[in-house]
Amino acid sequence: MSRQLAKAEEIEVKTNIAGVPVNLSRKGRREKVAAIYEHWRLADEWWGKEVERDYFRVRTSTGIVFDIYRDSKSNHWYLDRIHD
């Protein structure tokens, strides 16, 4: 089961040289990315705006699975969904 956030939460993400997340910070708490289950790219138009995002489904060292994405235009990272 998963829960999509009503509004994506901006988070801090450190990546390796290839742009793959290696750790993330959320609410002042830093967690290591222990596994990446999926990676996909979304390029679409939403309400008249172009949307380009790189999504990652990650498991952190604490065992929580998140869907996070990097907005290609702003280069900011967001938490979109939490999996149980």
Side-chain angles (χ1 to χ4, degrees):
M1 191 147 149
S2 69
R3 175 175 62 93
Q4 184 161 9
L5 303 180
K7 181 180 180 202
E9 175 186 324
E10 189 169 352
I11 57 174
E12 186 179 321
V13 175
K14 298 254 185 203
T15 63
N16 65 17
I17 191 114
V20 176
V22 293
N23 63 49
L24 59 90
S25 295
R26 178 178 181 239
K27 297 182 179 180
R29 187 175 174 169
R30 176 173 238 121
E31 297 186 48
K32 182 179 178 184
V33 173
I36 296 177
Y37 295 127
E38 291 184 63
H39 172 233
W40 67 97
R41 180 163 288 152
L42 172 71
D44 205 347
E45 191 172 311
W46 185 256
W47 292 82
K49 289 184 173 181
E50 285 187 29
V51 175
E52 291 182 34
R53 298 176 179 167
D54 285 306
Y55 280 85
F56 293 86
R57 181 162 294 154
V58 301
R59 179 175 48 82
T60 66
S61 54
T62 59
I64 301 172
V65 177
F66 296 117
D67 287 354
I68 62 175
Y69 68 86
R70 182 183 66 81
D71 181 280
S72 298
K73 295 196 183 290
S74 69
N75 204 33
H76 291 159
W77 285 87
Y78 297 90
L79 170 63
D80 188 51
R81 184 179 295 267
I82 302 170
H83 295 268
D84 297 344

